[in-house]
Amino acid sequence: MRSPASDIGPEANPDVDPVEEVLHRLRERGGRITTSRRILLRCLFEKGPHRTAEELAAEVQSVAPDVHLSTIYRNLDELERLGVIVHAHLGHGPATYHLATETHGHLVCEMCGGEMEAPEGFFRDLTAAAQREYGFVIDPRHFAMLGRCAACAEAVEATS
Amino acid sequence: MRSPASDIGPEANPDVDPVEEVLHRLRERGGRITTSRRILLRCLFEKGPHRTAEELAAEVQSVAPDVHLSTIYRNLDELERLGVIVHAHLGHGPATYHLATETHGHLVCEMCGGEMEAPEGFFRDLTAAAQREYGFVIDPRHFAMLGRCAACAEAVEATS
DNA sequence: GTCGATGCAAACGTTTTGCACACTG
DNA sequence: CAGTGTGCAAAACGTTTGCATCGAC
């Protein structure tokens, strides 16, 4: 029987701060542990919604005002190469970044700009069909599905 | 019984040049018929693959060298508002434009950049599920599905 | 002659890059 | 001390806009 503390899940071990774990992996690759990287990683692990590079920069800068937007971009690239985060394109604006462990897709309304998350399983049949028919391996996290949300679709029907 | 000439399909009537038909619709809306519009429309109706604004500009300029890229953008916007064309985002680069009558989706390989077309029916189940579960009306033409094409997916597996 | 369309240049928003300096290990 | 990361400025990229002029009707 395992200790009671470890029963709350594999990621809940208080001894392994995920931020520090990633920093260590960075160092093993020959990278350096810097303050901006630590702060950026905390932002990425802490909060909920997907954020753009600019939004992340603002959050980081509220703690360390001198961190430059280009540093954010460079570190986001690095973290993506490491497989810690991924970016997704939701509509026409800037890309958004989130943890690679979040495996949902996105539905984005092209009228109101609203975003919904769609669970991974939502795309299972489509990805299976693409695999089967074309050998194509779809990554349902990277793209947003554009269209009209329920409210906007209703509004359009009311007009016509 | 209809005349033999009309039997080859509703769009095949040689008396109605689709370019001129669109130009007329533009004029009915208060727009003007200009040379750049006519040439751009010919390009859009003539050739096969999806093209970016820059590629279309190059084609137009091979006939009328003074047509500016901004004119192309403005006319593409106008034609999209008219419902004649649509644009789609295939990966990270510039948008591509094609006739609204082409109703397929796109599979884009994020490794080699290759593009495949996926028939409209390919997305039927997904769009139906989105509609049913979320009331969300997906437009499967506007977005590309990113992933790995058969060749690149194989190459990745060979590495691992 | 009216008003919409165009050419040009300049701005835009997002992201990348070149360089000198600062800091980590 | 070596070499990576950073701040800054500037460029790159695709796209949009302001403005004077041109051209369709």
Side-chain angles (χ1 to χ4, degrees), chain B residues 27 36 58 66 68 73 102-104 113 130 147-148 153:
Chain B
R27 196 163 67 179
S36 18
D66 282 349
H68 200 268
Y73 274 111
E102 296 179 40
T103 54
H104 53 259
R148 288 197 288 272

Side-chain angles (χ1 to χ4, degrees), chain B residues 85-122:
Chain B
I85 60 171
V86 294
H87 76 274
H89 299 277
L90 277 50
H92 288 180
T96 65
Y97 295 83
H98 56 92
L99 294 178
T101 48
E102 296 179 40
T103 54
H104 53 259
H106 302 94
L107 302 178
V108 177
C109 178
E110 54 193 351
M111 298 188 70
C112 68
E115 304 165 7
M116 318 182 32
E117 298 183 356
E120 206 183 2
F122 194 66

Side-chain angles (χ1 to χ4, degrees), chain B residues 8-151:
Chain B
I8 47 178
E11 301 296 351
N13 185 341
D15 298 344
V16 184
D17 180 347
V19 170
E20 300 303 321
E21 189 271 335
V22 171
L23 288 171
H24 272 75
R25 268 203 280 154
L26 261 175
R27 196 163 67 179
E28 273 160 27
R29 281 195 162 203
R32 306 274 158 90
I33 296 179
T34 66
T35 335
S36 18
R37 283 182 174 168
R38 182 173 280 120
I39 301 173
L40 176 60
L41 276 166
R42 283 204 193 123
C43 290
L44 287 165
F45 274 99
E46 265 171 27
K47 300 208 182 172
H50 310 335
R51 279 149 296 166
T52 66
E54 202 121 17
E55 289 163 350
L56 285 163
E59 282 181 45
V60 170
Q61 283 159 3
S62 74
V63 179
D66 282 349
V67 174
H68 200 268
L69 181 56
S70 64
T71 300
I72 300 288
Y73 274 111
R74 281 191 272 232
N75 283 334
L76 288 172
D77 280 1
E78 190 68 35
L79 291 172
E80 191 154 23
R81 239 171 280 131
L82 243 184
V84 176
I85 60 171
V86 294
H87 76 274
H89 299 277
L90 277 50
H92 288 180
T96 65
Y97 295 83
H98 56 92
L99 294 178
T101 48
E102 296 179 40
T103 54
H104 53 259
H106 302 94
L107 302 178
V108 177
C109 178
E110 54 193 351
M111 298 188 70
C112 68
E115 304 165 7
M116 318 182 32
E117 298 183 356
E120 206 183 2
F122 194 66
F123 301 98
R124 196 167 349 179
D125 290 347
L126 186 77
T127 52
Q131 173 84 269
R132 181 180 353 104
E133 292 178 34
Y134 304 114
F136 193 98
V137 182
I138 290 179
D139 172 11
R141 311 191 301 219
H142 194 111
F143 60 84
M145 319 283 285
L146 291 201
R148 288 197 288 272
C149 71

Side-chain angles (χ1 to χ4, degrees), chain A residues 42-62:
Chain A
R42 280 204 195 124
C43 289
L44 287 164
F45 275 98
E46 265 171 27
K47 300 207 181 171
H50 311 333
R51 278 149 296 164
T52 66
E54 200 121 18
E55 287 163 353
L56 286 163
E59 282 180 46
V60 170
Q61 283 160 2
S62 73

Side-chain angles (χ1 to χ4, degrees), chain A residues 71-88:
Chain A
T71 300
I72 301 288
Y73 274 110
R74 281 192 272 233
N75 283 334
L76 288 172
D77 280 0
E78 191 67 35
L79 292 172
E80 191 155 22
R81 241 172 277 131
L82 244 184
V84 176
I85 60 171
V86 293
H87 76 273

